[in-house]
Amino acid sequence: MRTTVDIDDDLMRKIADQAQKSGRSLKKTMNDIISRGLGGTRSAAPVELPAWGMGRPLYPIDRSWEIVAEFEQDDVRHEMEKGS
C-alpha cells in the first residue's frame, strides 16, 4: 500500500543509515521497524560470521571444568598469600 507520511529528518537519516548498513531496501527496513514497533516479529536477515582455526587446545577439553577449578584455587591462594 502506498501512503504519504512526514518523517522527521533526523529519524529518516537513522532509518536510511540502518538500511544501508544492513544492505536492505529502505522499504524493507521501514516495514521491519514499524512491525517491531507494533509488537510484530520479523526474523532478522541471516548473518554470516567469520570462522578460523585456532589450532590445538592447550589443555585437554574433557578436563575443562577441572582445570577451571584449579585456576580458581590458584587465584584464591594468591589472594590469601598477598593478604598475609
Side-chain angles (χ1 to χ4, degrees):
M1 172 193 268
R2 289 184 182 263
T3 191
T4 302
V5 178
D6 290 326
I7 300 174
D8 294 340
D9 290 340
D10 61 328
L11 186 56
M12 192 62 205
R13 277 190 293 276
K14 290 179 183 178
I15 295 169
D17 286 346
Q18 184 174 338
Q20 183 181 20
K21 288 177 184 173
S22 68
R24 296 181 302 169
S25 68
L26 186 60
K27 176 184 174 181
K28 173 90 171 109
T29 301
M30 290 185 81
N31 281 329
D32 288 349
I33 291 169
I34 292 168
S35 178
R36 283 193 315 261
L38 293 173
T41 56
R42 292 238 178 182
S43 59
V47 176
E48 193 168 316
L49 300 175
W52 55 89
M54 296 172 45
R56 294 184 43 170
L58 297 176
Y59 301 98
I61 200 73
D62 59 328
R63 289 190 53 231
S64 58
W65 290 113
E66 190 179 327
I67 293 168
V68 167
E70 289 174 19
F71 282 136
E72 287 176 347
Q73 287 175 356
D74 288 344
D75 286 345
V76 169
R77 191 172 314 129
H78 176 71
E79 287 298 317
M80 290 175 67
E81 290 171 355
K82 191 169 82 173
S84 50

